[in-house]
Amino acid sequence: MSNSGPRVLLVNDDGPPGQESPYIFGLYQHLTNHLKWNVRVVIPSSQKSWIGKAYHITQVTRGKYFYPRGPDGREGETSDTPRQLKEQEIAEWILLDGTPATCANVALHNLYPGEVDLVISGPNFGRNTSAAFSLSSGTIGAAMSAALSRTRAIAISYGNVLHPTPLELHQPAHNLSVRIVEYLWTNWGKDPDGPRDGEVDLYNVNLPMIHKLMDPEGLQVYWTRMWRNSYGRLFKHVPVVHGSQRELLPDNPDSLSELISADSAAQANSYLAFKFAPDIQPLINPDLSIVPVGTDGWAFGMGHASVTPMISGFAEVDFKGSDDPRKLKL
């Protein structure tokens, strides 16, 4: 580790700077310019949300070098091979045609082995509070991938509350994130059962993007536990017609009757075709009276930032009994 701070790997699940990934370039600048930390960036080449900690294991993961420039990093060239920076280019990043977890693992073991002290994943474009979101999150998946490689990791998510999120909230969100990251790095928690020298595996940080970020006192930050909630339907049926190939029909059901006959419409609805269209309003706007106080969901609903220590695994129930093996009697 350098005297100026940890060597950082920055990953995400939203891909390179753009409409679906508006935060990573700003956080990169805060980490490098404000904290003066050494930051390398390895991210998916395109949006990879809701993919969890998945890996693509039957295909070759290919990549390109990316040289962001401009005020928001959205401009820039790609190259198949590394090269010197040109005028106004900020840095050399790497884009991989893989999942967020793949980016973390490849960076740690293939690109920069032994050269990373801390992995920061995010900031995600949207919250990752509660079990329902966290277990599906590519942002947390990348952090968990790093933790499983015995590397400290922090997942950061900016929860969208105002639509669209005002640009003036970006800088105070980055400022708070950097303060939290710096605090966690210098005050990393203990977990007696943690496989990495008895440390906490990773942290999950969530910031609501609200105007209170701009107040002099800013957001209050709470230690939290994860809200154990659930979700319902994630997919909807998509009508198709069977011709030379199955053609997806428009989402509007009225369009179906205009295009095909009633018999054909019934047949179209009988094919098995489903599109990801989650019904997540109960997760985004829960009744706070049913959200346990002290959870990440409660903190977000109250307009607070949350920091949740996590373990890198599907956690088992704590039976609060003896550590001796217990035989199951059938």
Side-chain angles (χ1 to χ4, degrees):
M1 183 177 67
S2 66
N3 293 330
S4 58
R7 300 166 297 177
V8 175
L9 169 68
L10 184 60
V11 297
N12 75 355
D13 72 354
D14 291 324
Q19 184 175 354
E20 293 182 320
S21 183
Y23 301 132
I24 186 170
F25 187 72
L27 182 64
Y28 172 83
Q29 289 187 307
H30 275 67
L31 291 168
T32 55
N33 296 336
H34 294 192
L35 294 184
K36 307 298 183 183
W37 286 0
N38 178 18
V39 182
R40 290 176 164 124
V41 181
V42 181
I43 56 178
S45 58
S46 61
Q47 233 282 347
K48 293 290 189 297
S49 290
W50 280 79
I51 203 166
K53 203 185 71 59
Y55 299 97
H56 295 156
I57 62 172
T58 61
Q59 63 190 55
V60 175
T61 299
R62 303 184 185 277
K64 290 182 178 294
Y65 297 88
F66 174 59
Y67 301 89
R69 56 184 174 83
D72 54 11
R74 299 188 184 192
E75 304 173 30
E77 298 178 355
T78 59
S79 173
D80 290 328
T81 57
R83 60 167 175 76
Q84 295 295 317
L85 294 183
K86 298 179 181 178
E87 186 177 357
Q88 297 184 335
E89 291 180 339
I90 307 300
E92 180 181 84
W93 294 9
I94 290 178
L95 310 181
L96 295 181
D97 296 333
T99 68
T102 298
C103 290
N105 191 272
V106 168
L108 290 173
H109 297 285
N110 301 92
L111 298 174
Y112 314 117
E115 300 177 22
V116 175
D117 304 306
L118 173 67
V119 172
I120 299 175
S121 183
N124 188 64
F125 184 48
R127 77 191 72 178
N128 275 311
T129 56
S130 79
F133 282 133
S134 296
L135 289 172
S136 305
S137 167
T139 301
I140 296 178
M144 194 168 290
S145 174
L148 286 169
S149 289
R150 301 179 65 84
T151 304
R152 289 182 175 185
I154 302 172
I156 303 174
S157 300
Y158 294 174
N160 301 314
V161 177
L162 308 172
H163 301 282
T165 299
L167 289 176
E168 59 265 27
L169 299 184
H170 290 203
Q171 293 302 318
H174 297 324
N175 288 336
L176 179 56
S177 292
V178 166
R179 289 171 55 202
I180 292 173
V181 166
E182 187 175 28
Y183 175 87
L184 292 176
W185 172 252
T186 56
N187 299 275
W188 204 270
K190 298 296 182 182
D191 177 2
D193 296 325
R196 191 184 60 245
D197 302 322
E199 289 190 337
V200 168
D201 285 347
L202 68 151
Y203 291 97
N204 182 29
V205 176
N206 280 274
L207 277 61
M209 297 296 279
I210 56 179
H211 287 296
K212 194 175 180 181
L213 276 163
M214 302 179 66
D215 292 348
E217 66 275 13
L219 299 184
Q220 298 182 52
V221 183
Y222 282 83
W223 292 108
T224 56
R225 63 188 186 278
M226 188 177 294
W227 176 29
R228 294 177 60 184
N229 62 347
S230 59
Y231 50 59
R233 178 187 60 78
L234 296 179
F235 296 82
K236 69 176 182 179
H237 181 261
V238 180
V240 297
V241 290
H242 186 66
S244 58
Q245 60 181 0
R246 291 188 179 184
E247 179 182 357
L248 298 182
L249 294 179
D251 289 341
N252 182 358
D254 293 335
S255 302
L256 185 62
S257 60
E258 295 172 2
L259 292 173
I260 58 179
S261 66
D263 288 343
S264 296
Q267 184 182 34
N269 283 312
S270 68
Y271 286 114
L272 299 177
F274 303 91
K275 180 180 180 181
F276 186 69
D279 179 17
I280 58 175
Q281 281 304 313
L283 303 180
I284 295 176
N285 298 304
D287 180 356
L288 285 180
S289 67
I290 66 171
V291 181
V293 174
T295 62
D296 53 4
W298 164 83
F300 193 95
M302 296 297 292
H304 306 317
S306 64
V307 179
T308 308
M310 295 180 61
I311 66 171
S312 54
F314 295 101
E316 72 278 7
V317 173
D318 183 2
F319 289 103
K320 301 185 184 304
S322 171
D323 290 335
D324 295 334
R326 300 186 304 153
K327 183 181 293 186
L328 174 61
K329 297 180 179 179
L330 300 176

